[in-house]
Amino acid sequence: MAGPRVEVDGGIMEGGGQILRVSTALSCLLGLPLRVQKIRAGRSTPGLRPQHLSGLEMIRDLCDGQLEGAEIGSTEIMFTPEKIKGGVHTADTKTAGSVCLLMQVSMPCVLFAACPSELRLKGGTNAEMAPQIDYTAMVFKPIVEKFGFTFNCDIKMRGYYPKGGGEVIVRMSPVKQLSPINLTDRGCVTKIYGRAFVAGVLPFKVAKDMAAAAVRCIRKEIRDLYVNIQPVQEPKDQAFGNGNGIIIIAETSTGCLFAGSSLGKRGVNADKVGIEAAEMLLANLRHGGAVDEYLQDQLIIFMALASGISRIKTGPVTLHTQTAIHFAEQLAKAKFTVKKSEDEEDASKDTYIIECQGIGMTNPNL
């Protein structure tokens, strides 16, 4: 099984946790022994943080692999994968580290397990610097399922910065192969909806203010659509700690989904949080792509594994996406091309087509 170790430089490009997630997931899937050096070398707190560690340990447990150098602050790890197995797997960041990022690293792996899996992920569900669980459930899930699999995402408890304490259970069955996707026809926006939440001690008025400010901001640009943003008070038994935030989703005639979201912080007024999310959504609608900037990089690993040619139309290609492509090419030997879109309607916009010849990964267990 084990060939020569693949060397990954954790300090290039995005230079953070993402390199670790993409490279260890691919290592696990392809049975490639891996060494990652200079982990988060340029960050203010270099090396592994608790959430990276829990992700690595989860991948190790998923495949009965061996992991060396995995401790807080470590800038180099060695990982030797074995056979991926299904069943129940738990990962706990013990902080507000994002459960969504834990899902990102583990999901591609368990698709190629021998039997169904249940991932119990603990940490922050609505945390900074990561997708919110609502984004994962409302945007990532329906789009990624176009690769030909389904998963169930059960939000048991929401958790916020700084304590975390959230829990999400993801259930999925393995697949034989992934189908390629084509997300190039954006269609026109048909609905805009969302949720503005408060949890813990924050007054419900904050949720209403975020929603109202977001609606006002969107109305300035999109006048002919009803914008339905529900203010929500998270039930006490389903939320740990205090938090507030908003996610707004635009759906198109061809089933594309775009989002804007924002989280409240101490001393930031509710209107500002709502407006930030609305402006993010509007920016994602201006570029003419068929996926938003956050979905881009999350689709790359699936495109690389699929059997056949996948195409997605995007706005400006993010550093996260360039990083994911780089490592998918280095480790999986998938072939990607990124070209400016040649469609007339995109001529005035910064729109690209990312195309990938996937490697046609086959599940050896099925």
Side-chain angles (χ1 to χ4, degrees):
M1 176 104 177
R5 255 180 220 288
V6 178
E7 298 286 341
V8 162
D9 181 344
I12 62 170
M13 301 179 83
E14 179 267 344
Q18 190 212 6
I19 294 179
L20 210 52
R21 286 190 292 279
V22 173
S23 59
T24 48
L26 288 170
S27 155
C28 176
L29 282 157
L30 301 162
L32 294 169
L34 182 72
R35 173 157 65 180
V36 188
Q37 300 184 71
K38 301 186 194 150
I39 294 167
R40 300 182 70 256
R43 296 296 199 255
S44 55
T45 50
L48 297 173
R49 305 301 304 144
Q51 66 268 32
H52 306 119
L53 198 52
S54 50
L56 283 172
E57 289 167 344
M58 182 174 210
I59 292 287
R60 176 198 63 200
D61 297 344
L62 282 176
C63 70
D64 276 334
Q66 281 151 351
L67 187 57
E68 294 160 58
E71 52 207 51
I72 307 284
S74 167
T75 56
E76 182 176 326
I77 59 123
M78 301 236 276
F79 176 56
T80 312
E82 294 293 336
K83 194 178 149 153
I84 303 172
K85 54 184 212 276
V88 179
H89 299 284
T90 302
D92 186 353
T93 66
K94 305 195 171 52
T95 63
S98 167
V99 297
C100 304
L101 296 179
L102 289 173
M103 199 186 304
Q104 252 181 48
V105 65
S106 51
M107 183 176 285
C109 301
V110 295
L111 279 172
F112 292 91
C115 63
S117 300
E118 179 176 302
L119 308 172
R120 297 174 168 248
L121 310 173
K122 299 176 184 182
T125 57
N126 299 76
E128 283 294 349
M129 306 298 295
Q132 295 192 44
I133 191 66
D134 308 271
Y135 182 90
T136 301
M138 294 161 83
V139 178
F140 173 75
K141 181 181 191 296
I143 303 292
V144 84
E145 286 179 342
K146 293 178 191 286
F147 285 101
F149 67 92
T150 57
F151 70 94
N152 179 280
C153 178
D154 184 7
I155 306 168
K156 289 278 182 223
M157 178 69 77
R158 288 169 179 272
Y160 312 97
Y161 182 82
K163 289 197 197 121
E167 182 176 12
V168 174
I169 298 182
V170 178
R171 296 183 186 89
M172 58 201 303
S173 292
V175 291
K176 183 71 188 165
Q177 274 193 320
L178 293 176
S179 315
I181 60 165
N182 189 334
L183 292 175
T184 51
D185 178 9
R186 174 157 124 181
C188 50
V189 178
T190 53
K191 15 168 137 143
I192 298 179
Y193 51 91
R195 75 194 296 272
F197 70 86
V198 289
V201 298
L202 289 147
F204 187 55
K205 180 182 186 314
V206 169
K208 291 196 283 200
D209 290 351
M210 288 188 295
V215 170
R216 282 196 302 274
C217 182
I218 292 166
R219 284 268 161 75
K220 286 186 192 138
E221 214 160 306
I222 301 175
R223 293 183 185 81
D224 49 349
L225 278 180
Y226 175 64
V227 180
N228 178 17
I229 303 176
Q230 292 287 325
V232 180
Q233 170 85 56
E234 302 290 9
K236 286 272 184 280
D237 58 347
Q238 284 165 36
F240 185 81
N242 308 310
N244 66 297
I246 180 169
I247 178 165
I248 318 163
I249 291 164
E251 196 172 310
T252 75
S253 51
T254 53
C256 295
L257 296 164
F258 299 84
S261 65
S262 181
L263 285 167
K265 294 192 225 10
R266 275 224 173 115
V268 177
N269 79 20
D271 286 27
K272 196 171 165 194
V273 180
I275 290 165
E276 185 177 53
E279 283 177 343
M280 185 192 290
L281 175 66
L282 292 168
N284 272 311
L285 291 173
R286 279 183 209 114
H287 60 51
V291 299
D292 69 28
E293 60 180 313
Y294 299 100
L295 202 53
Q296 262 183 38
D297 66 282
Q298 296 183 58
L299 297 178
I300 297 300
I301 190 167
F302 297 98
M303 291 168 72
L305 297 169
S307 49
I309 294 176
S310 291
R311 284 185 195 89
I312 59 173
K313 186 188 278 192
T314 71
V317 179
T318 65
L319 181 57
H320 270 92
T321 298
Q322 291 165 22
T323 305
I325 289 173
H326 175 88
F327 290 102
E329 290 188 324
Q330 181 193 340
L331 298 169
K333 306 291 185 254
K335 292 275 176 282
F336 283 84
T337 55
V338 180
K339 293 196 182 95
K340 196 100 169 62
S341 169
E342 284 158 13
D343 297 352
E344 285 88 76
E345 75 262 25
D346 299 329
S348 61
K349 297 181 175 145
D350 213 4
T351 314
Y352 297 84
I353 302 279
I354 302 176
E355 186 172 298
C356 172
Q357 174 68 59
I359 63 170
M361 172 89 184
T362 305
N363 190 332
N365 307 295
L366 298 186

